Amino acid sequence: MPETVDGADMPKSKRPSDSAFKQQRLPAWQPVLTAGTVLPAFFLIGILFIPIGALLLISSNSINEFVYDYTQCKPDSGNQTCAEIISSSPGTTCKCTIMFELEKDFLGKVYMYYGLTNYYQNHRRYVKSRDDDQLLGRLSSIPSSDCAPFAYVDDEERIPIAPCGAIANSLFSDKFELHSVDRDTPVPLLQTEIAWPSDREIKFRNPDGDLKEALRGFSRPKAWTRELWELDPSNKENNGFQNEDLIVWMRTAALPTFRKLHRRIDHSHENFIEGLAKGNYTLTVMYSYSVIEFDGTKKFILSTTSLLGGKNPFLGFAYIVVGSVCLLLGIVLLIIHLKCSKSNGGISSVHQRSTARP
């Protein structure tokens, strides 16, 4: 006898209910790929992408950019490079002077970047090595375990580091001074508004009260030569966890070759209202950041921008290549369709086979 439900006469059944969902009778749409639908799509993509790529390429090429690799720059005296001096004496600073010429006028807003190569900020352990509570101003004597081995100055004394972690410990420390030789005046540089507004306003906060007192009992990162409240002596509001150089560095790069915004040219100065004029300039580098241990290089970059950001020809080339490939495929498939498709004339003469036997 089949089992029955308690208090009922109907037997149990595993049969699904007779609904449209369980019986797979829901309405559906399945596109039929024919020459009449595929070929226009190829041509449309090609016709749209090629002009867009050309506009992106023109926009990128309109940006003026100057790049100088200063990895092996030498001080004013001596035969050793600054890279060799810093590598043999960590914690010291080497001053080198570089003469260069801008061959074009850099009109509009001009930005100063530093670039690094062979630097893997995207390493999983490096990206995790931070304490977001600390960066929000919520200080604790026990930093996040993700900061190890950059959480304490000494494992025995257990003095916590603020900001802790590998990212903060490796903060880029080179300083630049730019001087216009033709105008015999220094180029004014701004250290603020170089970080993302969301980072400045939401992700980084200083503890309440006096910053130096709040950090009593904490130590600076091992590789730093200045305290957290001394990062910007000219602007006390740009110190602590809200220092914009620190904020820019803490936003890790996705690729091993990258550039980060370092300074903005102050265009309120009467000699630089329209930008940087072509001519001779002197760059003084306070060299303190070593990269030769991991075969890296350092670059100094001056660049203007467009509505789409900095110089990046890859996007324009990508659009042009994709559009050209789609146009080529559309033409090839159209030729194949016209030459090799079957005629409907023979189909009309085909009749359904009679079920009757001859």
Side-chain angles (χ1 to χ4, degrees):
M1 294 292 293
E3 295 182 0
T4 60
V5 183
D6 294 341
D9 296 332
M10 295 295 296
K12 286 184 178 180
S13 174
K14 294 182 179 181
R15 181 179 179 178
S17 60
D18 188 16
S19 64
F21 178 77
K22 292 187 177 181
Q23 296 299 333
Q24 300 183 14
R25 295 196 300 266
L26 291 173
W29 176 76
Q30 182 176 359
V32 178
L33 300 180
T34 63
T37 58
V38 174
L39 293 179
F42 275 113
F43 285 113
L44 182 63
I45 293 174
I47 293 171
L48 290 178
F49 274 38
I50 291 177
I52 292 174
L55 291 174
L56 292 174
L57 203 55
I58 292 171
S59 176
S60 177
N61 291 335
S62 68
I63 297 172
N64 291 322
E65 188 174 271
F66 173 81
V67 181
Y68 188 90
D69 189 328
Y70 70 95
T71 310
Q72 300 298 334
C73 74
K74 293 184 178 181
D76 299 334
S77 61
N79 295 323
Q80 278 189 311
T81 64
C82 281
E84 293 170 342
I85 295 174
I86 297 301
S87 179
S88 59
S89 302
T92 58
T93 301
C94 175
K95 181 180 178 181
C96 64
T97 304
I98 300 164
M99 300 287 296
F100 67 92
E101 180 184 1
L102 293 182
E103 298 178 353
K104 297 180 180 179
D105 290 330
F106 280 43
L107 300 177
K109 293 183 178 181
V110 183
Y111 299 90
M112 179 188 291
Y113 301 83
Y114 58 85
L116 297 174
T117 64
N118 203 36
Y119 198 116
Y120 289 84
Q121 272 200 318
N122 58 355
H123 191 282
R124 182 180 63 85
R125 289 191 64 188
Y126 183 89
V127 172
K128 288 178 57 181
S129 188
R130 58 189 291 163
D131 187 342
D132 288 315
D133 282 339
Q134 263 193 1
L135 300 176
L136 285 170
R138 298 194 289 261
L139 297 176
S140 172
S141 59
I142 304 177
S144 170
S145 59
D146 291 332
C147 287
F150 301 99
Y152 298 96
V153 176
D154 193 327
D155 289 338
E156 295 181 0
E157 297 183 6
R158 307 293 284 181
I159 299 175
I161 294 175
C164 68
I167 308 176
N169 185 72
S170 60
L171 176 66
F172 185 80
S173 58
D174 286 359
K175 300 298 178 185
F176 306 103
E177 294 178 2
L178 193 60
H179 187 89
S180 174
V181 176
D182 298 339
R183 300 181 183 230
D184 192 23
T185 181
V187 178
L189 304 175
L190 298 174
Q191 304 183 38
T192 56
E193 295 185 18
I194 59 175
W196 288 22
S198 60
D199 289 349
R200 296 197 310 262
E201 298 167 7
I202 300 174
K203 295 185 178 181
F204 293 82
R205 283 281 181 272
N206 283 333
D208 296 332
D210 182 69
L211 182 60
K212 186 175 180 180
E213 288 298 321
L215 290 171
R216 188 179 298 275
F218 291 84
S219 176
R220 66 172 183 245
K222 299 176 182 179
W224 287 20
T225 57
R226 292 182 295 173
E227 298 293 341
L228 185 60
W229 57 86
E230 299 174 333
L231 295 180
D232 187 358
S234 62
N235 183 4
K236 64 179 183 179
E237 300 297 328
N238 189 33
N239 278 306
F241 300 111
Q242 291 181 296
N243 176 263
E244 296 203 27
D245 285 331
L246 175 63
I247 294 174
V248 170
W249 183 256
M250 295 296 291
R251 180 169 283 277
T252 54
L255 299 174
T257 298
F258 60 87
R259 64 178 62 178
K260 289 180 181 287
L261 183 58
H262 186 60
R263 295 291 182 266
R264 297 184 297 122
I265 307 299
D266 185 2
H267 296 292
S268 64
H269 195 281
E270 59 181 358
N271 292 323
F272 305 99
I273 293 176
E274 297 182 355
L276 286 182
K278 63 181 179 181
N280 296 313
Y281 290 84
T282 300
L283 174 68
T284 303
V285 181
M286 303 304 294
Y287 198 118
S288 60
Y289 198 75
S290 184
V291 295
I292 61 174
E293 287 80 5
F294 53 88
D295 297 326
T297 61
K298 298 189 292 186
K299 296 178 181 178
F300 162 80
I301 304 163
L302 288 173
S303 178
T304 58
T305 59
S306 68
L307 292 175
L308 300 174
K311 195 176 186 68
N312 183 17
F314 172 78
L315 193 59
F317 283 123
Y319 268 89
I320 292 174
V321 169
V322 172
S324 301
V325 170
C326 287
L327 272 183
L328 181 62
L329 284 175
I331 293 171
V332 171
L333 293 175
L334 179 61
I335 294 173
I336 294 174
H337 174 67
L338 294 177
K339 287 191 172 184
C340 303
S341 61
K342 294 183 179 180
S343 174
N344 292 332
I347 298 177
S348 61
S349 62
V350 177
H351 299 282
Q352 195 172 19
R353 180 180 296 179
S354 175
T355 55
R357 297 181 65 87

